[in-house]
Amino acid sequence: MYAISPAIHTEEMGYAMSRLEIDSDVSDDGSAIFEDCTSQPTKKPLNYLDNEISQLTKLKSTPHQLLGQVGPGRPELPVSPVKLLAGRESNYSGRGRFSSADCCHLLSRYLPVNGPSLIDQMASRAYVSQFSADGSLFVAGFQGSHIRIYNVDEGWKVKKNILAKSLRWTITDTSLSPDQRYLVYASMSPIVHIVNIGSSETESLANVTEIHDGLDLSSSDDGGYSVGIFTVKFSTDGRELVAGSSGDSIYVYDLEANKLSLRILAHTSDVNTVCFADEASHLIYSGSDDTFCKVWDRRCLNSRGKPAGVLMGHLEGITFIDSRGDGRYFISNGKDQTIKLWDIRKMSSNVTCNPGYRSYEWDYRWMDYPPQAKNLKHPCDQSVATYRGHSVLRTLIRCYFSPAFSTGQKYIYTGSHNACVYIYDLVSGAQVATLKHHKSPVRDCSWHPFQTTLVSSSWDGDVVKWGFDGSAEVPPLSAKRRASRRRNS
């Protein structure tokens, strides 16, 4: 057993330790959310996003210029499917086939906004939901110790039902190994557990039906108290894990040597999120409640914790980071109710300015964001763009780039405290879709890497699938369930 010090500021545990359960707008049964999620999509363009990533996004999702000239008339965008097909058959591009940009231009127009269809329903809050890299598996992690792995290609059949070991508060994160043989899961404990999901057993009860090996990420530098792990990720080669903790630290665990290889005191507050910048796994991005994003280069890293650079712009803590995968750009979700887009070439060698002490008292675990803070700006904002409309409250809400294969990463999407999923256009900043179904916060959501499918999971216990017309593969919500939703609306 690991006793967590009362001094630790834990975002997930704070939900039950605050006034939220007594008088907040979110009840335990998920029966009421009063925050508005019907706001109209913003049409205000990001005029300043006239830079490299704008051009890269257009190149990845704009068809061959000759395809826009099929038939009479001036070139136009978007190019219709009929013109795309006619251009391909006439070999206007000289390739005799669609390019990846042609495919993205077509597929990115069909957003996964229809539905939802119910995949699963648990009497426990869902904290994690993620597709595997090839889209064949889907992982959902719940507060009540359960992790379910679904076989997407076999009609969302449960491949593995894992009952977690030594759970502290909730499943905070999971990660599948690149070969999809192993899954690691973390909670508010320094012990991360690893499970062999390739075994024939469907029911995986920790150390009863299967062994859940514990990987100890604790360090003598942790100050004598037990830290909690907020985030954990496999490296691209599957040989290492990187994790962030309530001990303000980043950990690197060597799976082959079975030991902690590096611990960095990286921030001055909780490290809520870490991820690798690209497939090389040399660069690591981290985000913390100290409001800073940091970049770490493992090729010139030492235990003293000197980052390659710091990025400033958020006014409150950072809940999640997702990399574009090119070693340059990433997005972050912040408790200042924004997503920010970053270019690491704009980073500073250290903290160059401070936004100053805020003139209001606020705790995101149980309070709404102060109205007077919504228009505040960081005096040294280094971000490339800022996206607003969703809400980041109560828990570590996650955001992502849309898939490269089907959309050319043209969009970013995020869960939200107000029970919706938001999709934004990366270049224009416009809110292009809002998915409404859940009755409690949506902490995590995941877009299939190749199909027009998005899955959202919520504290209401529902795991649901959104698609485009004709793509539904699981039974829709029952009439009884729909009636219940209407009564609670």
Side-chain angles (χ1 to χ4, degrees):
M1 295 293 292
Y2 297 89
I4 298 181
S5 166
I8 298 177
H9 174 66
T10 57
E11 310 304 333
E12 310 297 336
M13 293 186 69
Y15 180 88
M17 296 164 62
S18 70
R19 286 168 39 193
L20 180 64
E21 290 191 342
I22 301 172
D23 60 3
S24 171
D25 53 357
V26 183
S27 65
D28 277 349
D29 61 4
S31 60
I33 284 273
F34 299 115
E35 185 176 347
D36 182 28
C37 68
T38 60
S39 58
Q40 293 299 315
T42 176
K43 299 299 182 182
K44 186 177 181 180
L46 297 171
N47 294 324
Y48 51 87
L49 194 57
D50 183 20
N51 52 28
E52 183 178 334
I53 193 169
S54 176
Q55 298 306 314
L56 289 172
T57 302
K58 290 177 181 178
L59 285 173
K60 291 175 68 174
S61 59
T62 302
H64 192 282
Q65 59 182 356
L66 293 178
L67 289 176
Q69 298 174 352
V70 177
R74 299 171 58 186
E76 60 180 294
L77 284 175
V79 179
S80 71
V82 173
K83 286 190 175 182
L84 282 169
L85 289 169
R88 185 189 66 178
E89 295 305 309
S90 302
N91 198 19
Y92 267 68
S93 66
R95 293 186 295 265
R97 58 180 175 82
F98 285 146
S99 67
S100 60
D102 297 336
C103 295
C104 287
H105 177 75
L106 184 60
L107 292 173
S108 65
R109 296 169 61 187
Y110 303 100
L111 297 175
V113 296
N114 298 112
S117 301
L118 185 65
I119 294 173
D120 208 345
Q121 188 177 38
M122 298 283 283
S124 176
R125 297 172 182 148
Y127 272 74
V128 181
S129 59
Q130 284 295 296
F131 280 106
S132 61
D134 66 359
S136 64
L137 300 177
F138 182 82
V139 181
F142 300 87
Q143 186 177 8
S145 301
H146 281 280
I147 304 169
R148 286 188 171 176
I149 303 177
Y150 306 87
N151 192 320
V152 177
D153 298 334
E154 294 184 6
W156 295 84
K157 178 182 178 182
V158 175
K159 172 184 173 67
K160 205 80 168 176
N161 186 35
I162 299 169
L163 187 61
K165 173 189 177 184
S166 304
L167 185 69
R168 299 287 296 177
W169 177 245
T170 184
I171 300 293
T172 54
D173 203 6
T174 66
S175 182
L176 277 172
S177 63
D179 60 9
Q180 298 181 184
R181 293 179 57 194
Y182 297 96
L183 178 133
V184 293
Y185 62 85
S187 67
M188 295 308 302
S189 159
I191 307 297
V192 172
H193 290 91
I194 186 167
V195 186
N196 182 356
I197 66 170
S199 64
S200 58
E201 291 284 342
T202 300
E203 299 296 322
S204 181
L205 179 60
N207 296 344
V208 176
T209 60
E210 289 186 328
I211 299 296
H212 293 197
D213 287 325
L215 311 176
D216 191 354
L217 272 61
S218 62
S219 164
S220 58
D221 297 329
D222 285 329
Y225 61 86
S226 180
V227 301
I229 303 300
F230 287 118
T231 178
V232 62
K233 296 287 183 292
F234 270 100
S235 61
T236 305
D237 59 14
R239 296 179 180 178
E240 294 178 312
L241 297 174
V242 63
S245 80
S246 61
D248 311 343
S249 299
I250 296 173
Y251 304 85
V252 178
Y253 193 93
D254 188 324
L255 291 170
E256 292 186 335
N258 195 27
K259 67 177 183 179
L260 186 68
S261 60
L262 184 65
R263 186 253 187 179
I264 309 166
L265 187 57
H267 291 266
T268 59
S269 191
D270 294 355
V271 179
N272 296 323
T273 176
V274 293
C275 70
F276 291 104
D278 53 25
E279 292 185 356
S281 300
H282 295 314
L283 295 180
I284 296 173
Y285 302 144
S286 65
S288 166
D289 273 339
D290 63 12
T291 74
F292 300 121
C293 296
K294 293 187 178 182
V295 181
W296 308 87
D297 191 337
R298 301 181 61 198
R299 293 164 294 190
C300 53
L301 190 62
N302 57 55
S303 59
R304 288 177 295 179
K306 179 68 175 177
V310 181
L311 288 158
M312 298 164 285
H314 278 295
L315 294 168
E316 301 288 347
I318 296 157
T319 65
F320 197 72
I321 283 175
D322 185 45
S323 174
R324 191 169 178 267
D326 55 9
R328 291 184 179 178
Y329 296 99
F330 67 91
I331 55 174
S332 60
N333 230 349
K335 297 176 185 177
D336 55 7
Q337 315 303 300
T338 68
I339 293 174
K340 286 187 175 289
L341 172 67
W342 307 91
D343 180 346
I344 69 170
R345 291 168 294 183
K346 295 180 179 290
M347 64 188 180
S348 303
S349 58
N350 50 48
V351 179
T352 57
C353 75
N354 193 305
Y357 294 102
R358 63 191 185 197
S359 60
Y360 53 88
E361 291 295 327
W362 178 66
D363 189 327
Y364 103 122
R365 294 173 299 175
W366 59 273
M367 298 173 69
D368 290 334
Y369 196 59
Q372 66 269 31
K374 292 183 179 179
N375 295 320
L376 295 179
K377 294 182 180 180
H378 195 291
C380 301
D381 192 349
Q382 296 169 302
S383 64
V384 175
T386 302
Y387 308 83
R388 304 175 187 272
H390 62 296
S391 55
V392 183
L393 299 168
R394 313 298 186 259
T395 185
L396 303 178
I397 304 289
R398 300 181 167 193
C399 64
Y400 303 93
F401 287 96
S402 63
F405 175 84
S406 58
T407 71
Q409 297 177 306
K410 183 178 179 179
Y411 306 107
I412 56 178
Y413 63 103
T414 179
S416 180
H417 165 256
N418 65 359
C420 301
V421 176
Y422 290 80
I423 303 176
Y424 299 98
D425 186 285
L426 177 70
V427 174
S428 72
Q431 181 184 311
V432 297
T434 305
L435 310 184
K436 305 171 188 176
H437 160 77
H438 296 287
K439 294 297 181 181
S440 293
V442 178
R443 184 182 190 265
D444 204 2
C445 47
S446 187
W447 197 318
H448 193 285
F450 306 114
Q451 299 174 9
T452 308
T453 301
L454 186 147
V455 176
S456 60
S457 59
S458 166
W459 279 9
D460 62 14
D462 283 3
V463 180
V464 299
K465 170 179 172 286
W466 306 81
F468 190 72
D469 281 342
S471 64
E473 297 174 358
V474 295
L477 295 174
S478 66
K480 181 178 179 181
R481 179 76 173 152
R482 290 195 301 270
S484 175
R485 290 291 185 194
R486 286 194 294 269
R487 286 195 299 272
N488 291 330
S489 297

